[in-house]
Amino acid sequence: MSYQIPRGCQDIFGDRSYQWQALENILRHICELYNYDEIRTPIFEHTNVFKRENDSSDMVNKEMYTFTLPNSKTSLTIRPEGTAGVVRSFVENKMYANPDLPVKMYYMGPMARHERPQKGRLRIFNQFGVEALGEKSPYVDVETIALAYTILSTVGLKDIKVCINTLGDDASRAAYRSALKAYFKPHYDELCSDCKRRYEQNPLRILDCKVDHDQPFMQQAPSMKDYLNKESKAYFQTVLDLLDTLDIPYEIDDKLVRGLDYYTHTVFEIVSMNKEMGAQSTVLAGGRYDGLISYFGGPKEMSGIGWALGEERLLIALEAENGPLAQKPGLDAYVMCLDESARTYAFEILTQLRAYGYRCEMDMQGRSFKSQFKAVDRMKAKTAILIGETEKAANQVAVKNLETRKQESIDREDLINYLDSLMED
């Protein structure tokens, strides 16, 4: 019987794992510069953390992996996104009492959604995201966008643009929902089945539909900007002014509403313009949410903002523009055992080198000298350390610099100093 990975999943190993490590190291470093702390939440939560009342999103209605515990009515869901779990933790652990708001956190890890697998979109995918919780301010909004833009620029993504919109406050959204329902009512029978559900739950989500996107009536739908009240207009204008101040290029997209129902005010996406990305061009997306903290029992006046990116999709975008972000590094040294009687001595040398921070390897199969030298080439070693019965008897090693081809016999006690000097050169 053969075993295969489930559809929509992937194994990450070998050279590719170094690309992931390089990306995640950059993500962590830049978040530290912006004073974001890491948070790690469970891989599954109680279902009602994600399935909130009257939620119209596809994620909640069609894509969640939900199960009931044996001999129990407890319903749990493997996390499909990171924000809800972070906000749940923020409230449960009373982080809102922190005198220095907002509380700024980042997370990374696997998420799961049951959807049709395609390029850059898997059923189990790795997401990195940030959340700034407890303070409502256009300055916080722009800081999170600046953080996102800095990350993408640092990893080398150049062909990108920021798309931004506002959904206004609750009053503005209510007026806009009413206008959309009135507008789409004559076209109700022309809507897809999902949009018919969205019509009752959240008509803003109709604007985000991929099925009805090209319908002629979609092009004439009311615009959110015409239903913003004075406060919402002023808030959004401040966001745009701050982006101008920081020289972050953006494009206002009136149809941008985002895929989850909890967003208010600022919503944004950063998309790759590289043709290699195809239809899946969105690299990063997020927005502000005013009601999510209070939903979990936190202070009603508190707000939050965050964004997330799919690491798989970002790596695809990076490879399309620049090639791999990183490759497996070569060895500092490959220990070559020339005589079986010297194998234990060679193994001692190998362990000593690693204790001093050298990346090294040794043949464990008893292969021929020729085969070992092929391994040296494959592993891109900087030096080969040759050890046979002669070196063992003299308590020495022979070190070959594979760049200069120069070889020297070195006393064992001098090996580390010799390699230190060699690597500095």
mmCIF file of all heavy atoms in Angstrom, residues 22 24 57 72 109 132 164 208 264 268 290 295 337 353 413:
data_model
loop_
_atom_site.group_PDB
_atom_site.id
_atom_site.type_symbol
_atom_site.label_atom_id
_atom_site.label_comp_id
_atom_site.label_asym_id
_atom_site.label_seq_id
_atom_site.Cartn_x
_atom_site.Cartn_y
_atom_site.Cartn_z
ATOM 1 N N ALA A 22 14.397 31.730 5.652
ATOM 2 C CA ALA A 22 14.873 33.085 5.355
ATOM 3 C C ALA A 22 13.724 34.084 5.408
ATOM 4 O O ALA A 22 13.848 35.177 5.972
ATOM 5 C CB ALA A 22 15.538 33.115 3.981
ATOM 6 N N GLU A 24 10.818 33.797 7.063
ATOM 7 C CA GLU A 24 10.302 33.957 8.416
ATOM 8 C C GLU A 24 11.275 34.723 9.315
ATOM 9 O O GLU A 24 10.848 35.454 10.213
ATOM 10 C CB GLU A 24 9.958 32.584 8.992
ATOM 11 C CG GLU A 24 8.747 31.974 8.273
ATOM 12 C CD GLU A 24 8.439 30.552 8.696
ATOM 13 O OE1 GLU A 24 9.255 29.963 9.450
ATOM 14 O OE2 GLU A 24 7.396 30.020 8.260
ATOM 15 N N SER A 57 -19.455 35.237 5.010
ATOM 16 C CA SER A 57 -18.228 34.919 4.285
ATOM 17 C C SER A 57 -18.199 33.464 3.834
ATOM 18 O O SER A 57 -18.732 32.568 4.483
ATOM 19 C CB SER A 57 -17.002 35.209 5.156
ATOM 20 O OG SER A 57 -16.959 34.329 6.253
ATOM 21 N N SER A 72 -19.257 13.998 23.127
ATOM 22 C CA SER A 72 -19.420 15.379 23.567
ATOM 23 C C SER A 72 -20.178 16.168 22.506
ATOM 24 O O SER A 72 -20.228 15.777 21.345
ATOM 25 C CB SER A 72 -18.042 16.002 23.814
ATOM 26 O OG SER A 72 -18.160 17.390 24.033
ATOM 27 N N GLY A 109 1.881 30.452 11.199
ATOM 28 C CA GLY A 109 1.584 29.036 11.392
ATOM 29 C C GLY A 109 0.562 28.537 10.394
ATOM 30 O O GLY A 109 0.032 29.295 9.575
ATOM 31 N N ALA A 132 -2.923 44.899 15.741
ATOM 32 C CA ALA A 132 -2.701 45.998 16.681
ATOM 33 C C ALA A 132 -4.038 46.269 17.365
ATOM 34 O O ALA A 132 -4.977 46.764 16.722
ATOM 35 C CB ALA A 132 -2.188 47.240 15.956
ATOM 36 N N ILE A 164 -6.582 50.388 -1.556
ATOM 37 C CA ILE A 164 -7.155 50.781 -0.272
ATOM 38 C C ILE A 164 -8.568 51.316 -0.450
ATOM 39 O O ILE A 164 -8.920 51.853 -1.507
ATOM 40 C CB ILE A 164 -6.246 51.832 0.422
ATOM 41 C CG1 ILE A 164 -6.647 52.039 1.876
ATOM 42 C CG2 ILE A 164 -6.234 53.153 -0.349
ATOM 43 C CD1 ILE A 164 -5.613 52.804 2.683
ATOM 44 N N ASP A 208 -17.672 41.634 -3.892
ATOM 45 C CA ASP A 208 -16.444 40.840 -3.890
ATOM 46 C C ASP A 208 -16.618 39.504 -4.611
ATOM 47 O O ASP A 208 -15.716 38.685 -4.626
ATOM 48 C CB ASP A 208 -16.018 40.589 -2.437
ATOM 49 C CG ASP A 208 -14.569 40.158 -2.316
ATOM 50 O OD1 ASP A 208 -13.734 40.698 -3.056
ATOM 51 O OD2 ASP A 208 -14.281 39.273 -1.482
ATOM 52 N N THR A 264 -14.314 47.250 9.302
ATOM 53 C CA THR A 264 -14.881 48.600 9.286
ATOM 54 C C THR A 264 -13.761 49.564 8.898
ATOM 55 O O THR A 264 -12.579 49.219 8.946
ATOM 56 C CB THR A 264 -15.411 48.993 10.684
ATOM 57 O OG1 THR A 264 -14.339 48.888 11.636
ATOM 58 C CG2 THR A 264 -16.554 48.091 11.116
ATOM 59 N N PHE A 268 -7.538 47.162 3.033
ATOM 60 C CA PHE A 268 -6.488 47.304 2.025
ATOM 61 C C PHE A 268 -5.972 45.941 1.578
ATOM 62 O O PHE A 268 -6.131 44.924 2.265
ATOM 63 C CB PHE A 268 -5.326 48.141 2.572
ATOM 64 C CG PHE A 268 -4.699 47.593 3.824
ATOM 65 C CD1 PHE A 268 -3.611 46.735 3.766
ATOM 66 C CD2 PHE A 268 -5.196 47.944 5.080
ATOM 67 C CE1 PHE A 268 -3.040 46.227 4.914
ATOM 68 C CE2 PHE A 268 -4.624 47.440 6.236
ATOM 69 C CZ PHE A 268 -3.538 46.579 6.160
ATOM 70 N N ASP A 290 -14.019 47.152 14.213
ATOM 71 C CA ASP A 290 -14.465 47.863 15.417
ATOM 72 C C ASP A 290 -15.232 46.977 16.386
ATOM 73 O O ASP A 290 -15.207 47.207 17.593
ATOM 74 C CB ASP A 290 -15.358 49.050 15.026
ATOM 75 C CG ASP A 290 -14.552 50.252 14.549
ATOM 76 O OD1 ASP A 290 -13.311 50.203 14.651
ATOM 77 O OD2 ASP A 290 -15.153 51.219 14.051
ATOM 78 N N TYR A 295 -17.264 41.609 20.657
ATOM 79 C CA TYR A 295 -17.911 40.306 20.421
ATOM 80 C C TYR A 295 -17.363 39.254 21.375
ATOM 81 O O TYR A 295 -18.107 38.409 21.895
ATOM 82 C CB TYR A 295 -17.692 39.864 18.972
ATOM 83 C CG TYR A 295 -18.117 38.426 18.706
ATOM 84 C CD1 TYR A 295 -19.440 38.116 18.430
ATOM 85 C CD2 TYR A 295 -17.195 37.381 18.768
ATOM 86 C CE1 TYR A 295 -19.833 36.804 18.205
ATOM 87 C CE2 TYR A 295 -17.576 36.065 18.555
ATOM 88 C CZ TYR A 295 -18.897 35.777 18.271
ATOM 89 O OH TYR A 295 -19.286 34.475 18.060
ATOM 90 N N CYS A 337 36.940 10.217 5.832
ATOM 91 C CA CYS A 337 37.635 9.121 6.502
ATOM 92 C C CYS A 337 38.284 8.224 5.452
ATOM 93 O O CYS A 337 37.589 7.640 4.604
ATOM 94 C CB CYS A 337 36.649 8.323 7.358
ATOM 95 S SG CYS A 337 37.415 6.988 8.290
ATOM 96 N N LEU A 353 34.241 19.972 15.730
ATOM 97 C CA LEU A 353 33.968 21.088 14.816
ATOM 98 C C LEU A 353 32.578 21.659 15.038
ATOM 99 O O LEU A 353 32.372 22.879 15.050
ATOM 100 C CB LEU A 353 34.128 20.626 13.364
ATOM 101 C CG LEU A 353 35.548 20.290 12.906
ATOM 102 C CD1 LEU A 353 35.526 19.682 11.513
ATOM 103 C CD2 LEU A 353 36.422 21.533 12.929
ATOM 104 N N GLU A 413 45.061 20.018 18.048
ATOM 105 C CA GLU A 413 44.775 21.126 18.971
ATOM 106 C C GLU A 413 44.816 22.487 18.289
ATOM 107 O O GLU A 413 44.309 23.476 18.830
ATOM 108 C CB GLU A 413 45.754 21.116 20.153
ATOM 109 C CG GLU A 413 47.211 21.232 19.765
ATOM 110 C CD GLU A 413 47.891 19.883 19.623
ATOM 111 O OE1 GLU A 413 47.183 18.881 19.347
ATOM 112 O OE2 GLU A 413 49.116 19.828 19.799
#
